[in-house]
Amino acid sequence: MAGGDSKAMQPRQNQGNRPNVSAALNREWPVLFRSYVICSIAHAFWHGLGWRAALALCAVAFFACGMASAQDKRILNPQPLPPLAKPDDPHTPARELFGRKTTPTALPTRSIGSYSKGCLAGAVALPINGETWQVMRLSRNRNWGHPSLVEFLERLSEHAARSGWPGLLLGDMSQPRGGPMFNGHTSHQIGLDADIWLTPMPDHELTREEREEMMENVVVAKDRKDVDPKVWTPAHVALIKAAAEDERVNRLFVNTAIKKALCRDAGHDLAWLHKVQPWLGHDWHFHVRLNCPPDSPECEPQPPREVGDGCNDEEMHRWSTEALPAGPSKPRLGPKMSELPAACRQVLNAP
């Protein structure tokens, strides 16, 4: 895979003969309605499995809207969202406001607030093409970040290319003004988070359609207990290690099975593993989070992770089962503007 194996680059296929329901429904629909429709079709199609199986599928649909949807296939030319009737209504979720901003501000660059309740002034865009990277899911317009994040990704891609990884496929960073998103993430709000695919970059420049339709390679085995040896390579270890060793990185989020593989394959050099945090999902990408940059005094830092490799601690056991919620989870509308730092109102309203 690290060498651009053509078989490994093929889009992930559906299991068995089940229809690709989520791809057919994946549009700009509200999360709740989309989950409801998936559940209805699942119940109708899998009714022979009994009500418990249908209920489990519903739970997956609701749960996935907050995680797996982060890199879902999108439409090539999404239409602009209609203006809000009452944008100043204090009950309007902040995501409805920030999700409608398509350009950054001309304010001085700074990350404001916390990773999950904040915004971004003076964002810069990562170019969609570089010699050693390509941006995916362009329709989402989420290739924005603090300049330190853009520089980090460019440098990491160059390092990875020198180490044998063909180039980075980059997923969501932040919106043009940061802030809460309609779907996919709770964090990624202050321009310091980025998703990096564990699929190496192809040897050609992807078309817009390919960037929307190409599916990722899941590196975790079907039983969820370890990585898939047919997909996982030493190059994956080297890439994640290179990211973790950058002093600007606060932590990385990966699937527990991936952390397990990293602990096993890292050899005697385990010091960097303390930055790698096991988390639910994250089986086809890893999530990078940078520390607050010096130019952003309003950025709320996240405490560094405890010293130690974390390969055998309680955290690994807590996420190892990846248990689904007991039932359908309530859709989250995210924070209101009143819950964000006051400076985010200036960012939102700036020309």
Side-chain angles (χ1 to χ4, degrees), residues 32 126 153 279:
L32 176 60
L126 176 70
L153 293 172
W279 203 256

Side-chain angles (χ1 to χ4, degrees), residues 82-161:
L84 292 172
K86 298 180 180 180
D88 296 324
D89 187 329
H91 299 292
T92 300
R95 69 179 192 178
E96 296 287 347
L97 301 168
F98 281 95
R100 283 171 163 78
K101 296 296 182 180
T102 59
T103 59
T105 71
L107 298 171
T109 298
R110 67 193 198 278
S111 297
I112 303 167
S114 69
Y115 297 92
S116 58
K117 281 187 180 180
C119 58
L120 175 63
V124 296
L126 176 70
I128 64 172
N129 291 316
E131 291 186 8
T132 50
W133 78 84
Q134 296 188 50
V135 176
M136 304 298 286
R137 308 300 193 251
L138 300 180
S139 63
R140 300 168 74 88
N141 194 26
R142 294 179 180 176
N143 59 311
W144 300 85
H146 188 281
S148 63
L149 178 64
V150 172
E151 181 188 2
F152 165 79
L153 293 172
E154 292 177 347
R155 183 174 297 183
L156 177 63
S157 72
E158 294 168 359
H159 176 90

Side-chain angles (χ1 to χ4, degrees), residues 59-60 63 280 323-329:
V60 171
F63 188 64
L280 201 62
L324 288 171
S329 52

Side-chain angles (χ1 to χ4, degrees), residues 19-277:
N20 191 349
V21 176
S22 62
L25 295 173
N26 195 353
R27 294 296 183 265
E28 298 295 337
W29 298 0
V31 169
L32 176 60
F33 182 64
R34 178 177 155 197
S35 301
Y36 169 77
V37 175
I38 293 174
C39 287
S40 299
I41 295 177
H43 184 270
F45 189 82
W46 282 279
H47 66 278
L49 298 180
W51 65 270
R52 287 186 178 86
L55 208 61
L57 286 164
C58 291
V60 171
F62 276 91
F63 188 64
C65 284
M67 293 178 52
S69 63
Q71 299 301 152
D72 281 349
K73 296 192 290 184
R74 312 299 290 175
I75 55 178
L76 280 174
N77 298 298
Q79 297 301 310
L81 294 170
L84 292 172
K86 298 180 180 180
D88 296 324
D89 187 329
H91 299 292
T92 300
R95 69 179 192 178
E96 296 287 347
L97 301 168
F98 281 95
R100 283 171 163 78
K101 296 296 182 180
T102 59
T103 59
T105 71
L107 298 171
T109 298
R110 67 193 198 278
S111 297
I112 303 167
S114 69
Y115 297 92
S116 58
K117 281 187 180 180
C119 58
L120 175 63
V124 296
L126 176 70
I128 64 172
N129 291 316
E131 291 186 8
T132 50
W133 78 84
Q134 296 188 50
V135 176
M136 304 298 286
R137 308 300 193 251
L138 300 180
S139 63
R140 300 168 74 88
N141 194 26
R142 294 179 180 176
N143 59 311
W144 300 85
H146 188 281
S148 63
L149 178 64
V150 172
E151 181 188 2
F152 165 79
L153 293 172
E154 292 177 347
R155 183 174 297 183
L156 177 63
S157 72
E158 294 168 359
H159 176 90
R162 291 194 299 268
S163 303
W165 189 266
L168 300 183
L169 294 180
L170 299 169
D172 286 352
M173 296 164 57
S174 289
Q175 299 177 130
R177 304 189 187 198
M181 300 179 179
F182 282 111
N183 54 34
H185 306 283
T186 300
S187 60
H188 289 252
Q189 294 192 26
I190 58 176
L192 299 174
D193 294 277
D195 289 342
I196 301 175
W197 288 32
L198 290 169
T199 303
M201 187 177 79
D203 60 1
H204 66 280
E205 182 178 317
L206 297 170
T207 65
R208 282 189 62 89
E209 183 175 2
E210 286 177 311
R211 294 172 199 250
E212 303 297 335
E213 296 295 326
M214 177 178 168
M215 294 301 287
E216 71 287 345
N217 288 321
V218 173
V219 301
V220 174
K222 291 181 179 180
D223 64 8
R224 314 300 292 174
K225 295 180 179 180
D226 209 327
V227 293
D228 185 344
K230 297 179 180 178
V231 180
W232 184 255
T233 71
H236 288 93
V237 180
L239 173 61
I240 297 173
K241 179 182 179 183
E245 289 182 330
D246 192 296
E247 62 181 9
R248 291 169 291 187
V249 171
N250 178 277
R251 67 192 65 210
L252 310 176
F253 297 93
V254 302
N255 187 273
T256 307
I258 294 176
K259 175 72 182 266
K260 177 181 178 181
L262 293 172
C263 292
R264 181 180 61 235
D265 300 342
H268 297 294
D269 181 11
L270 303 178
W272 57 276
L273 285 168
H274 80 277
K275 285 189 180 181
V276 181
Q277 181 169 345

